[in-house]
Amino acid sequence: MTSANTSCMPVLSFLAAGNYEINFIAEGAANVVFQVVVQPGDEHSSIFQGYLLRVPKAGTNAHSYVELQEYWETVVRPLFEPEDLVQQRLVKLGGEEVVSCLNAALELKEEARRADFKGSRVAVVEHGMLVEDMRQTAARDGEEEEGGGEDEGAGDPERLALAMTLRDCACFVRVPAEAGRPVEAKLADLDRKNWEAKRGYWREMERRLVEGGYYEGRELGGVETDCLLEEGTKKV
């Protein structure tokens, strides 16, 4: 596996000057996403045009962003057409001062954060990630609805890690207000998973999905849709 290209990437040390608006957008257990507002005409405006800044949280056992980008570029991206993926690329954060600015923006939203995320902060690391901005879309997180089948790649750690990556992801759907324009659907959060740490969780999730009838369209409290995958399970 070749190394992700870390040369010629943007360096965000200019954010430490405090002249830019940084807004907290979302977070998960291991990452935080921010919007950086750059005024038109600013020399750095092209960096964030159409992109959000994703950074890792401190104190997690997740892979480094260089490892995540390498995996995305060499293993995940070749499986899809470019238009099917939320695009991403590495940036250099530029030092502790930038991380302090990000944490200050996070602290402003402390009261509104999920209870189990409160108190967590951005890690002091070298790299962050720019991810394509798919806001104003319907986002569906697959983590609670998809399983990590033990038989998929059983005995092969790399295949198991890939199976977990492809199931534990998010799908963003953009439906244009104007009639006639195409609907966009893109996959995101296709990170390499720590399969050793999460294997037990995935095994239990798969058991719940199988026993709960989720693969057969008979889950308790399920809502009938026009999904083609449900056609063979609907009762006449």
Side-chain angles (χ1 to χ4, degrees):
M1 187 179 294
T2 58
S3 298
N5 183 11
T6 58
S7 62
C8 302
M9 66 176 58
V11 181
L12 307 186
S13 53
F14 60 87
L15 294 179
N19 299 326
Y20 301 89
E21 181 182 345
I22 301 175
N23 299 316
F24 166 69
I25 299 298
E27 67 181 317
N31 304 279
V32 189
V33 178
F34 296 94
Q35 175 196 39
V36 179
V37 180
V38 180
Q39 296 302 317
D42 187 284
E43 61 178 315
H44 304 295
S45 60
S46 62
I47 295 177
F48 297 103
Q49 186 172 4
Y51 283 84
L52 300 172
L53 176 62
R54 182 193 192 210
V55 290
K57 285 185 175 180
T60 75
N61 61 357
H63 296 284
S64 73
Y65 272 25
V66 171
E67 292 174 302
L68 294 183
Q69 185 67 13
E70 177 184 44
Y71 188 77
W72 185 82
E73 290 180 359
T74 60
V75 178
V76 175
R77 188 167 62 180
L79 300 176
F80 299 92
E81 296 297 328
E83 62 270 20
D84 295 332
L85 296 175
V86 170
Q87 298 301 305
Q88 61 185 57
R89 63 179 186 268
L90 290 175
V91 292
K92 290 186 177 180
L93 294 180
E96 293 186 24
E97 294 83 359
V98 173
V99 174
S100 295
C101 291
L102 297 175
N103 278 325
L106 189 58
E107 290 169 9
L108 291 175
K109 297 294 184 179
E110 191 70 15
E111 291 304 314
R113 298 174 71 191
R114 212 173 83 176
D116 55 335
F117 290 161
K118 288 182 178 180
S120 60
R121 293 293 180 261
V122 176
V124 179
V125 292
E126 183 177 3
H127 295 98
M129 189 179 290
L130 294 179
V131 295
E132 187 179 358
D133 188 356
M134 291 292 291
R135 284 176 302 166
Q136 298 181 345
T137 68
R140 177 179 176 182
D141 188 349
E143 183 172 0
E144 295 302 323
E145 301 187 23
E146 299 289 349
E150 191 70 17
D151 58 335
E152 293 196 44
D156 185 337
E158 289 302 318
R159 286 190 61 200
L160 178 58
L162 178 58
M164 293 170 70
T165 291
L166 296 177
R167 288 182 174 220
D168 188 5
C169 65
C171 180
F172 291 87
V173 180
R174 178 182 284 140
V175 182
E178 300 86 354
R181 293 187 59 190
V183 173
E184 293 180 78
K186 298 188 178 187
L187 296 176
D189 298 334
L190 288 162
D191 291 339
R192 183 176 188 176
K193 300 299 187 290
N194 187 336
W195 70 272
E196 291 179 310
K198 300 189 73 172
R199 190 169 188 171
Y201 164 80
W202 280 85
R203 183 186 293 113
E204 174 60 19
M205 177 66 72
E206 179 74 354
R207 184 193 64 78
R208 287 168 48 195
L209 292 172
V210 171
E211 295 181 0
Y214 286 85
Y215 291 134
E216 300 173 352
R218 55 180 180 81
E219 68 274 16
L220 183 64
V223 178
E224 185 173 330
T225 71
D226 293 326
C227 177
L228 294 178
L229 296 177
E230 295 180 352
E231 288 299 319
T233 65
K234 292 180 180 178
K235 296 181 179 179
V236 179

